[in-house]
Amino acid sequence: MALITFVRHGQASWGTDNYDQLSIKGTEQARVLGKVFDDQAKSFDIAWRGEMVRHYETAQHCLSEMHSSLVAIPHTGLNEFDHEQILLNLDKKKYANKFEIIQFIKNSTHPTKTLGDMFAEAVYRWQSGEYDTDYTETWKQFQNRCVGAFTDIVNSSKGKNVVVFSSGGVISVIIQSLLGLSDRATFRLNWSLVNCGITQILSDTKRHSILSMNEHQHFREHGINLLTWH
């Protein structure tokens, strides 16, 4: 049996010129998680990661705090969907680029709620399949990519203890494939996953059991200020 530990990346840099890098808090989250793993005497046989900067940085900081010599293996199937493209396709006539969307959200009365409402509507449009030509990757293609990455990891992990650094969308779709969740329920799950939260799956390549989902007690113990979702 393989134990596969999925880690959602640390907080990224929303609202900056480069979202795809960890914020100061995101870096701290990755380091705290690594320290927790180290304190628990956890060790991994294999590490995987998506190809995005936030995946790489989360893996680096976490494994470094564990004093691990592992080098996380990149896998394109672990990359997150293009959230900027999905948001822009919500209303191209109203928002010409991501900076206009960011300004609209920042200037709203309740920025967090505004972001959540807009993103949900944009994702439901993408998931519907009615506008597939507007996207470089359709919802179905994204699902297939994520499940394919999970299959690759499972097939190479027999009897191993594995850690995987990826994103909320990827982890949610993998959970969807195991539990038979609807597309909308999958998005709601994605929205609830915390930064550097843990989801564990036990697998013998044919059968998969979810042992835990979205663990985050490690941050409650180190201060509520480390608990973030976006």
Side-chain angles (χ1 to χ4, degrees):
M1 298 288 281
L3 177 61
I4 304 171
T5 299
F6 283 90
V7 175
R8 188 192 173 201
H9 62 78
Q11 184 187 63
S13 300
W14 170 258
T16 68
D17 290 342
N18 183 11
Y19 171 81
D20 188 25
Q21 60 184 358
L22 295 186
S23 65
I24 293 173
K25 183 172 289 189
T27 298
E28 186 178 1
Q29 289 166 336
R31 287 176 174 166
V32 166
L33 180 59
K35 288 177 183 176
V36 170
F37 283 156
D38 191 51
D39 289 345
Q40 295 173 346
K42 286 188 181 297
S43 62
F44 297 108
D45 302 306
I46 307 172
W48 294 83
R49 64 171 174 84
E51 297 176 320
M52 295 172 160
V53 173
R54 56 191 185 272
H55 301 151
Y56 170 79
E57 291 180 341
T58 302
Q60 287 289 96
H61 291 304
C62 182
L63 293 172
S64 176
E65 292 296 334
M66 292 180 66
H67 308 288
S68 172
S69 60
L70 284 179
V71 176
I73 304 167
H75 194 308
T76 187
L78 297 170
N79 290 344
E80 184 63 291
F81 57 79
D82 188 342
H83 70 278
E84 291 181 3
Q85 184 185 71
I86 288 169
L87 268 174
L88 281 172
N89 272 300
L90 177 60
D91 194 339
K92 289 182 177 179
K93 294 180 180 178
K94 188 173 182 180
Y95 308 107
N97 53 59
K98 68 176 183 179
F99 300 106
E100 290 188 8
I101 293 178
I102 290 172
Q103 282 305 119
F104 175 79
I105 293 170
K106 285 183 175 180
N107 293 334
S108 65
T109 306
H110 302 289
T112 300
K113 183 179 185 304
T114 299
L115 171 61
D117 291 345
M118 288 180 66
F119 196 61
E121 185 180 352
V123 168
Y124 294 153
R125 181 184 190 274
W126 178 47
Q127 290 178 325
S128 73
E130 297 178 25
Y131 312 96
D132 282 355
T133 56
D134 290 344
Y135 305 97
T136 55
E137 182 177 48
T138 67
W139 168 245
K140 291 299 182 185
Q141 288 170 337
F142 176 66
Q143 289 176 301
N144 291 337
R145 172 164 67 79
C146 297
V147 173
F150 178 63
T151 300
D152 288 345
I153 291 168
V154 165
N155 288 340
S156 65
S157 303
K158 297 177 183 178
K160 304 292 186 180
N161 194 2
V162 182
V163 63
V164 182
F165 300 91
S166 187
S167 288
V170 176
I171 297 168
S172 297
V173 164
I174 291 170
I175 295 299
Q176 177 188 32
S177 72
L178 301 182
L179 296 182
L181 301 178
S182 68
D183 290 343
R184 291 211 170 194
T186 301
F187 170 72
R188 290 194 293 270
L189 173 62
N190 177 22
W191 206 240
S192 73
L193 297 183
V194 303
N195 295 114
C196 278
I198 299 168
T199 295
Q200 291 191 312
I201 299 172
L202 196 64
S203 173
D204 67 357
T205 71
K206 293 181 180 179
R207 293 173 297 177
H208 315 292
S209 301
I210 300 172
L211 298 185
S212 68
M213 192 184 306
N214 201 25
E215 288 184 56
H216 56 273
Q217 187 61 32
H218 45 284
F219 291 137
R220 294 192 183 278
E221 293 171 356
H222 285 78
I224 196 68
N225 65 309
L226 287 182
L227 194 59
T228 63
W229 285 262
H230 310 302

